[in-house]
Amino acid sequence: PYFTTKEVGKGTGMGLSMVHGIVKDHGGDIKIYSEPGKGTKFDIYFPLMANESVKQKALSAEQNLTGTERILFVDDEESIALMGKHILENLGYCVTSQVNSMEALETFKRSPDEFDLIITDLTMPHMTGIELASKIIKIKPDIPVIICTGFSNTNDEIKAKAAGVSSFIMKPIVKKQMASIIRKVLDKKKI
């Protein structure tokens, strides 16, 4: 799932799921052609912006999906944690990102009132996103929690809802989808 120009053992490069999310977030598409022994070609396509009024409409729609709330973003893959933090900060949020669910829980325990929302990966070592959500909600019952997952599993959704999880975001993370779900969850809490 990773493409790299680095030497073997010198790093994994950029995850293709992260590239896919970035391209899709910008309304683009990726075409891949691979031939064993010859290499792989990635063609990335982005749409042209028609005119200024289209750009303005896109900007105003995106501005309605921004915020200033404080978010704890947890994913055990460092590249996804960094990408999530970057996306959320570009939307105006104040973000603390963690790559370890146990450390994320300790961060939250130290200052639960410093966070308005938790976004966590579902599958992580040491403690799953559902277990993390359950422990966090015991500390602060009104905090919304969103689970990120690459797989749709009815059993996980049932367990998550029972633990108090507010919503799900499917991976790969797409900025517009994430922004919309976050606003729905946070605005629902304000009611």
Side-chain angles (χ1 to χ4, degrees), residues 70-127:
R70 299 155 304 174
I71 299 174
L72 176 59
F73 188 90
V74 187
D75 197 296
D76 62 309
E77 289 186 49
E78 190 170 346
S79 61
I80 294 176
L82 289 172
M83 180 186 69
K85 180 177 173 63
H86 178 73
I87 288 171
L88 294 170
E89 286 177 342
N90 282 338
L91 291 168
Y93 297 104
C94 179
V95 183
T96 301
S97 97
Q98 292 281 338
V99 294
N100 180 302
S101 54
M102 302 295 279
E103 290 175 13
L105 180 60
E106 290 307 313
T107 298
F108 186 80
K109 281 181 178 178
R110 280 193 298 274
S111 52
D113 291 330
E114 293 296 313
F115 299 101
D116 301 304
L117 172 68
I118 309 298
I119 301 175
T120 179
D121 186 21
L122 175 62
T123 308
M124 297 182 290
H126 310 298
M127 185 180 353

Side-chain angles (χ1 to χ4, degrees), residues 22-104:
I22 293 168
V23 170
K24 289 294 184 183
D25 186 42
H26 289 87
D29 197 17
I30 300 176
K31 301 291 181 197
I32 302 171
Y33 175 77
S34 186
E35 206 170 307
K38 292 193 176 181
T40 303
K41 178 183 175 190
F42 294 84
D43 290 315
I44 300 175
Y45 301 92
F46 292 99
L48 292 173
M49 293 301 281
N51 59 38
E52 284 301 313
S53 68
V54 172
K55 288 179 189 176
Q56 286 303 99
K57 286 180 186 175
L59 281 174
S60 67
E62 195 172 288
Q63 287 169 344
N64 291 334
L65 298 176
T66 61
T68 57
E69 289 88 350
R70 299 155 304 174
I71 299 174
L72 176 59
F73 188 90
V74 187
D75 197 296
D76 62 309
E77 289 186 49
E78 190 170 346
S79 61
I80 294 176
L82 289 172
M83 180 186 69
K85 180 177 173 63
H86 178 73
I87 288 171
L88 294 170
E89 286 177 342
N90 282 338
L91 291 168
Y93 297 104
C94 179
V95 183
T96 301
S97 97
Q98 292 281 338
V99 294
N100 180 302
S101 54
M102 302 295 279
E103 290 175 13

Side-chain angles (χ1 to χ4, degrees), residues 1-21:
Y2 295 94
F3 172 77
T4 184
T5 56
K6 298 177 183 179
E7 296 176 34
V8 176
K10 298 287 184 183
T12 57
M14 182 177 275
L16 293 179
S17 64
M18 183 164 48
V19 172
H20 181 263

